[in-house]
Each structure stands twice: as structure tokens, then as C-alpha cells.
Amino acid sequence: MKSFIFAGLRRRRLSMLVAASALACSLLVSGVPAQAAVPSAAVPTRYVYVSTAPRLVGDPTVGGLLKVDIKATFAYVSPAGGTPAISYFWTRDGVVIPGANGITYRATAADLGRVVAANLTVTYDAESSLTVQASHPLRVAAAPRARGFNGDGTLDIFARDSFGRLLLYPTDGHGNWQAPQVIGWGWNSFNLLVSPGDFDGDGTVDVLARDGQGRLFLYQGNGSGGWKKALQVGQGWQGFKEISAAGDFNGDGSNDILAVDSAGSLFLYPGNGHGGWLPPRWIGQGWQDMDSVGAGHFFDYSSVVTLSRTFWGDLQARTSNRNGYFEEYGLPGSYAGTIGRGWDSVVRFGMAGDFNGDGDSDIYGIDRSGRLTMYFGDTSDFSHWGIAGFRWKGSAVVGWGWGGFTAVF
């Protein structure tokens, strides 16, 4: 349903906006021939309105790119005449962000936990303008796993070998591996490893590790491929068969964890943004026959995604609009859609970011022969068609010998 927003009769001045750019390819205007003369003191202000408000979309995490979606927004003026100029400004908790005046905005550390909004101003002449806020302002969450471990913002993969060494496999952001690095020893005492992204709120990516006694430890990353210190952040976790990095699942700006117990019950463990927890709660059941990994903002949208592989090999996507629940209620028979088949051929799979630098997140899979294959995501049609519009750009074998690792994440 289209809504119409009318400009007031008073003259509006927006001193914070930069020079407006033409809207020829972005917003369409009425085709009625120009009729109105240049406004003067004797001519009333014309009405300016839009068909529907633009939308705020993109990745609402520190370092993520936010965008104003104007594909469904059309501007009009009455009486008709002229071509509008368009300008943008962004706000953080209602305060204008200096220098943020484009159609996109990359969230910074200053935005963590704050609500970021985008605003669009349509101007036909000095007396005829309208400012509209894009729908769905977004609270910016802590840096996700996809930001990488060594501070360069590119995909990294952690791997543990049979000697208990933890290795980091970094990339250059353009589909090439850099030299692997040993970043830890003695990690064979852990039976479950996951990276939740920035869990303690210091801006760097961290790792959670569970030992044989069910104790959970936080290994704080230092932002340059090493560690600050390790802290015990839980006990009694031996009852979980799987934990995954959900991203900011409840929308409070902190990264969270999903955990599945041996009975298949799914629990949300919300992070408090400082390396600890808020009260956990049950959010689903029937997950005992699925392997799941957190995929963050995999669809380049504000919703967070969990990818689950069924025992028959389908790769299913489950989404949450960051309200603490799955949009499909967390039931195994309900999901956003199937984005792949034949995934029973891989022993391990996961999402660690954008491998080839095209702006879309990619999925890696390791088969029984130890080949590492990267599957390249394509979200170009997602905004139009939802999950049905998701495609793969293709795949490529990018590594061999990965079958010898006892953990990859």
C-alpha cells in the first residue's frame, strides 16, 4: 500500500545537507508537462510528496555497509514542473553524522549500540522540498565473524591440526590466501570451537572454546592476529552438541550464541556486550538431526541468517529479524528456503565472510578427500524476490589437504 507524505506550506531550510545530486536514474517524476512558474512571494509553495518512503537496508554491524533503497520510491510535485534534486543525511540516535551525505554509509565503532537512520530530501525549488526518513532505522551491532581476525577486514579461517596447534588462514580480500600463521598451541584440549565475532565489545573478533569439563572460555582477539587474554565465561556446557555464532540475534547491539542440546532443543544465549551473558532462553526444538552454522547478514540484509544442513543434504536458510526469534519459529520443518542441495558430500562447512571481494558472503565446504571449495553467494536479486532470488555465482576449489584438521571454523 502506498502512502503519500505532503510537504507543509512553510518554507523548509535544511542547512545540514550538501549539494543535491540529480535524480534522473534513481527517482522517477511525473510526466505531466511543466505548468508552474518559478515561485515568488506571490506564488504559494507547491506540494511535494513521494509514493512510499525509501527503505534502510544492508549490514547493520560495525564495518558493515548500509544503503538507502529507493527502487520503489517515486517523487511528485503539484502543480507539476521541474526535475527534483536529491540529497541525503544520516543520523546516529537522532543526531546528524558529519560528512555522512551519500546514499550509502559504512557503520563505524562510534555507531556500536546506536540507532542509525537515513534521511532523503527531495527539492524542486527553494520553496518546494520534502524530507523523508527511510523506514526501519537500525541498531548497529558489534563486528561479526566476517570482519576477520587480523584487523584487515578480510576473510580468515581458523583451523586446528592434530598436534593441537591453532592456525589462521588469512586472505587478501581478492580470493587469494596469504601465508598461514600459528596463533596457538595446546588447543586439542577443546572439543568445540566457534568464533562469535566481537563478543566483549572491544571491536576485535574473538573465539569461544569448550573443554572436556564443559567449561567455556573466551579468547579475546587483539585485532592483529593474536590474543589479549583468555577468560572463563561459562560452565556446564557439556550438554550441548553444537554452538553457533548467531550474530546480534536479539537486536540489542551485542553478538549472541545459539546452542543445541542432545535432545535437539535450541537455546539463545544473548551476549551482554562485555564478554558475559544475559539470561538464556529456549527458542526451538527438533534440531538434533541438523548441522548448523551462523552466517550473520548473509543475504546483505538487516536479518541475521543461520544455515542448517539436513541429513539428506539440503542447505536451508533460517532468518531472524533480530527480535530474539526465528521468523520461522525455530521449527525444523519451517525455514526461509533451500539454497543448495547435495551438501551431504561435505564433511564440514561454514561462513567466514567474503572470499573474493565482490561484496557477497561466501560458504566454504570441505569434502572427504580434504578439498576446500568456496561457494560464491549472489544476493543481487534478493531485495526483489527474497530467498527465491538468492543464487550462487559458482564455486572454486581453493585448497587441498584440509581433511587432516580436527576443527575448522
Side-chain angles (χ1 to χ4, degrees), residues 298 350-356 360-364 374-377:
F298 181 70
M351 201 289 286
D354 177 12
F355 182 76
N356 58 358
D360 287 322
S361 295
D362 307 312
I363 301 294
Y364 65 84
M374 199 68 65
Y375 298 86
F376 305 112

Side-chain angles (χ1 to χ4, degrees), residues 202-405:
D202 65 356
T204 63
V205 171
D206 307 312
V207 169
L208 289 170
R210 184 188 67 184
D211 68 10
Q213 301 176 51
R215 297 178 299 179
L216 191 67
F217 295 88
L218 172 66
Y219 280 78
Q220 298 174 301
N222 64 8
S224 57
W227 309 101
K228 291 181 180 178
K229 57 184 178 181
L231 307 168
Q232 184 176 343
V233 295
Q235 60 187 15
W237 285 67
Q238 65 271 22
F240 295 115
K241 77 177 190 71
E242 179 179 273
I243 62 175
S244 60
D248 180 16
F249 197 78
N250 61 0
D252 64 358
S254 302
N255 286 323
D256 308 315
I257 289 294
L258 296 178
V260 178
D261 67 14
S262 56
S265 291
L266 178 69
F267 296 87
L268 170 65
Y269 278 78
N272 65 7
H274 304 287
W277 307 98
L278 299 175
R281 56 186 175 81
W282 177 94
I283 60 170
Q285 63 185 11
W287 287 65
Q288 63 270 22
D289 293 325
M290 295 189 294
D291 299 320
S292 300
V293 297
H297 299 276
F298 181 70
F299 293 131
D300 193 30
Y301 212 65
S302 57
S303 295
V304 292
V305 177
T306 293
L307 298 176
S308 300
R309 179 181 61 178
T310 65
F311 71 89
W312 59 86
D314 283 0
L315 187 64
Q316 299 172 345
R318 287 172 170 79
T319 60
S320 169
N321 60 12
R322 301 201 302 166
N323 64 353
Y325 296 92
F326 280 106
E327 293 179 72
E328 303 82 27
Y329 309 106
L331 301 176
S334 302
Y335 48 92
T338 297
I339 62 172
R341 304 189 188 280
W343 284 73
D344 51 339
S345 63
V346 301
V347 178
R348 292 191 177 96
F349 73 101
M351 201 289 286
D354 177 12
F355 182 76
N356 58 358
D358 63 357
D360 287 322
S361 295
D362 307 312
I363 301 294
Y364 65 84
I366 302 170
D367 66 17
R368 292 175 179 82
S369 68
R371 291 184 305 179
L372 176 67
T373 300
M374 199 68 65
Y375 298 86
F376 305 112
D378 182 359
T379 62
S380 57
D381 287 332
F382 182 83
S383 62
H384 281 294
W385 305 107
I387 189 69
F390 178 80
R391 297 288 184 270
W392 299 100
K393 292 189 179 80
S395 63
V397 176
V398 297
W400 293 264
W402 285 69
F405 291 120

